[in-house]
Amino acid sequence: MTTQDHERIDQSTVDLTDSEYYLNRELSQLAFQERVLHEALDDRTPLLERLRFLAIFTKNMDEFIMKRVGGLKQQIEAGVTETSVDGRTPREQWEEVLETARPMFEAQTDCYQQEVKPALADAGIRIESWDDLSEADRSEMRDYFEESVFPTLTPLAFDPAHPFPFISNLSLSLGVFVRRHYDDSVVFTRIKIPPNQSRLIPIEEGGRYILLEELIRSNLDLLLPNVEVVEASLFRLTRNAEVRRNEDVAEDLIEMIQDVIEQRRFATVVRLEVEEGMSDRMRSLLMRQLDIEDREMFEHAGPLGFWEFMPLTDLNRPDLKLDSWTPQPHPRFARRGWNGNGNGPTDEEQDIFEEVRRGDVLLHHPYHSFTDTVQEFLDEAATDPDVHAIKAAIYRTASDSKVIQSLIEAADNGKQVAVMVELKARFDEKNNLEWVRRLEEEGIHVAYGTRGLKTHTKTALVVRQEDDGMQLYSHVGTGNYHSETAKGYVDLGLLTADRDIGRDLAKLFNFYTGPSFDDEFRKLLIAPVTMREEFTRMIRREAEHARNGERARIVAKVNALEDPEIVEELYRASMAGVDIDLIVRDICRLRPGLDHVSETVNVYSVVGRFLEHSRIFYFENAGDPEYYTGSADWMTRNLDNRVEAVAPIEDPEIRRQLRYNLEVVLADNRKCWEMQPDGSYVQRRPAEGEPERNTQEILMRKTLETLNGEADSEDVTEVPPVGPELLVEPVEGKPTPSDPISSADGGTIEENQLAPTTASDETADGLSDDGESLPEPMRAHPDHWYIPDSNTYAYAIRTPDGGRAYRKTTESIARLLEQHYGPAGK
């Protein structure tokens, strides 16, 4: 049987449109949030870091319920019954999502109440209840309430003379039943906990606090005199954020966005959180007035939401935190006289444009400083007399954005400045509207967005007059031009003087401000015109290489893999024999490790102190690898409904850096999770005696080593090769920038002299390590397979071209042996 025969048989017997091959998007997103929550549950995590992840989990789940659960409820109310690619109707998804989320919230509360709060108290950080306070403390806090809290409160009664009060999204409220003495009636009153005051009120210096809601509840006699307080219970509600207007009928995009922001305030309620102990009477009243079902109510035996606890993580308690990290200057700038203080070069130092023209620069945030790289690039452009024009696409930026200030300064200095500001960036609409007004006041050309598309590119273009003509300098990134998120998001950015990339960006910016969209680009992959087609072509090319017995491998690092068509292409590539490693932060519809369908696919997810946000695409291409990075994930919205830009990486040293980054992630045994065929995840842990490998810690260390000249090469752009502790086995020859990426544990013979174990060494009795009889192809070809020194793979083969291929089961390695060496007995 030939490899082509094997491929034909496999694909003819599998219906890849079957819903069993696709995981549900919403449940996959919840699986990611569970991994985020695990960082708080994991007692290996420092205490204040555990509290930080409790807060992050609250914020993430708030957004998920506003956007995704809100969208499902909207579909249900509209009568939508069509099933998703995984075979679920909107109602089925809605019900399953709510039930899946419920135990996650319970785990969050239990973690705080039973572990984090007591541990904080042991460390001298106490969250006190009113009953725990001394008489002196109560007197002091009562005075504070009267002076600082009481004047800000507005009790809103619900009775025949007063309608049920409006309750804003994510607001924390105290529901109070009071009995009026003059008619013995019981009245509901809502008291909003002021969101503009700290939720953690310090009792005294030294780490004692009381929650604002506890302080208010304990002093209701001052706020509601001459009534009997029957009940006082906390609740918090979440409203749908999926409020949209048809762009085709909107005459003014700014007016439409303002309308969306306003409508969101009054949108449908999609979740009600209540504290444990709330009476059935109050629950029924709230559910009736807010028009929600039982399953939309969540009871918590602790604080409602933890996002406002985040200030505690800023306490000066290094003993309760991870070691601090300060983003570093890029070595290319630091080693060539760049001062790295935000003031640009001195007269005798070369400017940033000369350095970029010398060779492409890969920025890796937050390991490299955003301020000393991207911000410096824009600052220099704003003041350089030779710069004629600056163009930038802004998706999200800081409220005090220095990027915007640089663009304004450039306009003041006579440069031509054009800015694309995406008004439809969810939850940043208001901030972006304000920047649009400011930019227009400065006379800058501003484009607001594209009808029917959301602009998601993170790109900038500088046009500079030089001795040999007009030169184009480009920045293509994976992250926003946002100085604060750049300190906590892992992102990549390419600074390049490549003329083809510059021309492509010029075309793209002309589309933002002009009437038409060019569909031909020299190097960039642009969505929605060329990107899907090119990614599909490259995946199919790997499949063809595999069928021809050539090296075939795909490694993709993305935030999400949701697009069903891309999933199907990856399945077909796996069926052809392509080795595929997918590093997917959250949503992943693909199921790895399915017999005959995705045996060669592994899916990993890294959750650590920084949010993984970078995108890298690697295609082995029969030994002539291609690398790409940019703003797009493998989601339908990115490929079809957004404007995205992905750039090829051609510089050998930058390829080496990307290869290193990918291999470190694949070898992570501390923060890396591996997806199982059913969509669940298992966190990797070091084996006994094995060193701990944490991707982000390794990259922080390597950043400092390279900056301090401790790298293995005199060229400061080179990232040291993966050390011996990350390897499985030798592979012939020393790696070069064009070498294929090794498997999750691959390496070089010079890095690890240990020879692989042979089949005859380990399986002379004809049994696999779990005692099963070996399949006939393994018996027939004992010299072509072996047991690698790997925590990931159980078996490996030597391919005819001298490469290696890895599998987890005897059945899959047997099929691979048949592909390369024929059936047993032939």
Side-chain angles (χ1 to χ4, degrees), residues 582-595:
L582 303 172
I583 304 162
V584 185
R585 188 190 70 198
D586 49 73
I587 299 167
C588 182
R589 284 195 183 275
L590 182 146
R591 297 177 58 190
L594 297 178
D595 287 346

Side-chain angles (χ1 to χ4, degrees), residues 477-610:
T478 67
N480 297 305
Y481 292 113
H482 196 303
S483 56
E484 290 306 307
T485 59
K487 297 174 184 176
Y489 284 30
V490 176
D491 274 304
L492 294 169
L494 175 69
L495 283 173
T496 181
D498 185 294
R499 194 157 189 82
D500 286 339
I501 290 178
R503 288 174 176 174
D504 283 349
L505 281 186
K507 284 186 179 184
L508 194 58
F509 280 105
N510 287 343
F511 161 65
Y512 294 147
T513 58
S516 62
F517 199 170
D518 197 323
D519 59 1
E520 293 185 3
F521 296 89
R522 291 173 171 83
K523 287 188 176 179
L524 293 181
L525 310 185
I526 300 294
V529 290
T530 65
M531 189 176 293
R532 176 185 288 281
E533 178 183 350
E534 284 300 299
F535 276 137
T536 300
R537 180 187 65 80
M538 287 185 278
I539 295 171
R540 290 178 179 178
R541 182 183 62 190
E542 293 301 311
E544 187 62 25
H545 288 322
R547 283 190 286 268
N548 294 334
E550 298 175 304
R551 290 180 176 178
R553 186 140 191 258
I554 297 171
V555 184
K557 182 179 185 294
V558 293
N559 296 335
L561 169 55
E562 173 273 340
D563 183 72
E565 293 181 25
I566 293 292
V567 171
E568 182 175 343
E569 293 292 342
L570 291 170
Y571 279 147
R572 294 192 184 282
S574 177
M575 292 162 67
V578 179
D579 286 319
I580 302 173
D581 282 314
L582 303 172
I583 304 162
V584 185
R585 188 190 70 198
D586 49 73
I587 299 167
C588 182
R589 284 195 183 275
L590 182 146
R591 297 177 58 190
L594 297 178
D595 287 346
H596 306 288
V597 176
S598 57
E599 296 174 11
T600 67
V601 182
N602 296 291
V603 177
Y604 307 99
S605 174
V606 172
V607 179
R609 66 190 291 175
F610 306 130

